[in-house]
Amino acid sequence: MQVEEVFDFAKLLNSRGILLCYSGYFSEKVLSGLGDTLKMKMAVDETDLTTSKKVFSVFVEQAQNIIRYSADRLPETGGTNGELRYGLVTIGFDNGRFFILGANRVLSSDVPALRRRLEKISTMDKDELRSFYKEKMRGPVEETSKGAGLGFIEIARRARAPVEFGFKEIDDGSTFFFLRAYI
Amino acid sequence: MQGFRREGTDRAPTIRFDYVNHVLELRGESYPEDVSAYYRPMFESLEEYFRTKAPKSLRMEIELIYFNSSSARVLMRLLDMLDRFAAGGRDVLVNWRHRPDDELIRETGEEFAEDLANLRFVLCETA
């Protein structure tokens, strides 16, 4: 890469209000490091407590979704202490709003169910999300879910507008997925 | 059994259960890598405490700064367990502590409280 190319890339990120951008293999330590940096940045900017907690919360759920569900992964070996899964997280500030974007590959066969869950959540108002969250907090863990299956509802509850999401089929069996929430 | 203790990290809460004075404390942040593995020993200990000591009254102090959605599920399980214990005629007090300006933790506490019929659940502002 020549310097112009690097400069243009940096300029692009800057013009989109990106505070933090990570693309690569995720581990729990990456999550911790990015999370601490995000907290420090919001403390320096004196972001109010509720906003900074919402941003942090959505970041954690997005990062943990990648760590648990990205279809792009390296197998577990002795040295890695768990699988490494590939994904992208960016956090930015634009027009007075924070946004947190998460993206990763998913299995195309998982897309219909994922799309249904997100479409359902994105049409719910705050009270419906609250009830749905409470129902899921006690209900059985969804089959494909290693976490509580609550992550998407948590993200939608913290967001100030319906979450944005999309899918793009890449090749045989794998689909690029993104989810963005505004705080 | 005198109690159960687990020192927290920056991503997992400190757990201090005192089975002599019947005060149970949970403080810190909760988004550990493996939520089930972190809390399993705590639940096992608590079950044994209820079974063997059967305290007439107990107090639980919960002061969490942040917890993720997987931890919320664990908290609900913990509170349900305390509520069932209270249903058996025991006096169970839960103090849910939050900073005065922390709307999210307060709201979450209110949501938990709605579904607990037997224990006393008190929202407390910390200094």
Side-chain angles (χ1 to χ4, degrees), chain A residues 80-175:
Chain A
T80 54
N81 188 27
E83 281 177 342
L84 287 172
R85 302 213 190 197
Y86 201 95
L88 165 70
V89 167
T90 65
I91 297 154
F93 189 78
D94 182 32
N95 277 324
R97 305 186 295 182
F98 282 95
F99 59 88
I100 303 98
L101 182 149
N104 57 273
R105 284 206 289 170
V106 295
L107 295 177
S108 297
S109 54
D110 289 339
V111 171
L114 188 56
R115 189 193 292 275
R116 267 199 307 278
R117 280 167 74 183
L118 288 166
E119 278 173 353
K120 181 174 174 180
I121 289 166
S122 65
T123 60
M124 289 180 162
D125 65 23
K126 290 288 170 199
D127 287 339
E128 288 168 327
L129 285 167
R130 185 183 198 270
S131 306
F132 193 41
Y133 187 84
K134 289 182 71 169
E135 181 191 321
K136 287 286 170 190
M137 201 152 59
R138 280 215 177 89
V141 179
E142 280 169 56
E143 228 170 74
T144 56
S145 172
K146 279 187 223 158
L150 286 175
F152 288 141
I153 314 175
E154 171 74 21
I155 291 170
R157 289 191 72 189
R158 300 307 167 217
R160 67 159 78 179
V163 293
E164 296 171 355
F165 60 92
F167 299 94
K168 179 183 170 62
E169 196 159 3
I170 306 168
D171 53 38
D172 53 322
S174 114
T175 295

Side-chain angles (χ1 to χ4, degrees), chain A residues 28 53 134 138-139 157, chain B residues 11 65 73 80 102 114:
Chain A
E28 290 287 341
K53 284 192 139 191
K134 289 182 71 169
R138 280 215 177 89
R157 289 191 72 189
Chain B
R11 291 182 52 176
I65 299 158
R73 209 183 163 90
D80 278 340
D102 197 337
E114 284 168 11

Side-chain angles (χ1 to χ4, degrees), chain B residues 18 23 26 31 41 47 51 54 56 67 69 72 78 87 93 100 104 109 117:
Chain B
D18 176 346
V23 178
L26 188 62
Y31 55 115
E47 276 163 17
R51 200 173 54 243
K56 286 191 179 64
F67 51 91
S69 61
L78 173 66
L93 170 65
L104 293 183

